[in-house]
Amino acid sequence: MNDLAPLLTPEGRALLDEVRDTDPAQELAVATRLRREHPAELVSAALGQARLRQRAVVKFGAEDAGRMFFTPNGVEQSTRASVAAYRARRMAEAGITSVADLCCGIGGDAIALARAGIRVLAVDRDPQTAAAARANADALGLSGLVEVREADVADVDTAGYDAVFVDPARRGGRGRIFDPEAYSPPLSWAVSAARRAPRGAALKVAPGIPHEAVPEDAEAEWISDGGDVKEAVLWFGTDPGAVRATLLPGPRTLLSRGLPDPEVRPPGRYLYEPDGAVIRAHLVAEVADLVGGGLLDATIAYVTADALHPTPYATAYEITDHLPFNVKKLKALLRERRVGTLTVKKRGSAVEPEELRRKVKPQGPHAATVFLTRVAGAPAMLIGHPVRA
């Protein structure tokens, strides 16, 4: 996997097609057979690429993943295609026609931008990664819109581009990096590059970025896809100071209205669990206002209300029981209700879901959801079920 070039030859491409659907359990037998006719290094590279393509399907879809080229880090760190397409669409709708994609990785964002009709300069300093980005633009028929350059982003002149997109590396030798100034390049550098762009910029950052680290002249957007929080984006040249949560597919966007914290109130008939992007964006108050509810506890992002007000920004549950935390009482109640499928959600509780399941030993044909949380500071259990849309 140290060199993509052999895989780009006719022999390499034919071998990739042959091993495309190789079952990992059969990989050794397949490798042994293919090494009789092909160089061992090429066979290993093709099988390794096939594994990466299989892993990449969840992010890029089967059609694109089956044609693209990946590095192990590229699969792990690349943007999900649906998220990249959403961002690219925002840029295109803003009239941006050219973007310098700095720290482009294997080219996932460059591909989305090009498919939105935007001309892209894609830059990465790692030779293998830049080679993958170049191969991907070619494989997807986008090389006319995507120029890939192997360089340090600090040395690249972006003056000829409407906007910049920066996706700093947020992983190091010890795992995830949480300090924005420890990103590579640091957030402060990315912000400076964004402010120099003529038409605007987008900086991809970790969804856990502290709100106080968001520059005053930036719009902050938290994005989830299918209920999973994927990233935060700092936009420049849009709406300075705005805060939003965007849910994909859709998109559906909830904007901050600067509402005060909701009041704490007793549990009502319904509990609302806000989407993770809503919570990260600190927009729980906006959800509470939408459903006419309040908080179960001042420090926990569960909203409760007496009436059902369906909203895409939170999952609604009908609550049937509210008990002080007590495992024996919960076990007895579940036995009485013949609950065999138990979903355990927790917020503000030290109890682990698997530990609770082992203790209560759910059995029966019915299903229920138990929330381990606090109600006005006291440990509590709320039992119910999701409201079907």
Side-chain angles (χ1 to χ4, degrees), residues 22-157:
T22 299
D23 186 327
Q26 301 299 318
E27 197 169 284
L28 180 59
V30 171
T32 300
R33 175 176 57 81
L34 292 174
R35 283 170 182 160
R36 298 178 189 136
E37 301 177 4
H38 303 279
E41 295 82 1
L42 181 60
V43 172
S44 296
L47 287 169
Q49 191 62 224
R51 284 195 304 272
L52 294 176
R53 285 177 168 183
Q54 289 167 4
R55 286 171 51 195
V57 167
V58 68
K59 286 189 173 183
F60 291 92
E63 184 176 352
D64 281 355
R67 292 187 289 166
M68 293 172 67
F69 295 85
F70 299 96
T71 65
N73 285 340
V75 172
E76 184 70 25
Q77 299 176 18
S78 57
T79 304
R80 185 180 289 257
S82 54
V83 179
Y86 163 73
R87 267 198 270 96
R89 193 161 56 247
R90 275 201 69 176
M91 286 190 163
E93 289 171 354
I96 290 170
T97 61
S98 60
V99 172
D101 178 2
L102 308 179
C103 310
C104 70
I106 55 99
D109 288 287
I111 289 166
L113 289 164
R115 282 176 166 168
I118 296 172
R119 180 172 59 90
V120 186
L121 170 65
V123 182
D124 203 284
R125 68 183 178 184
D126 179 70
Q128 179 79 351
T129 304
R134 190 175 293 111
N136 289 335
D138 182 64
L140 300 180
L142 298 168
S143 55
L145 281 171
V146 180
E147 174 194 349
V148 179
R149 189 178 303 174
E150 181 190 324
D152 190 309
V153 295
D155 299 331
V156 175
D157 182 6

Side-chain angles (χ1 to χ4, degrees), residues 259 261-263 274 283-295 303-305:
L259 299 178
D261 292 340
E263 293 184 357
L283 300 181
V284 175
E286 277 70 11
V287 166
D289 185 64
L290 286 173
V291 302
L295 297 179
V303 174
T304 185

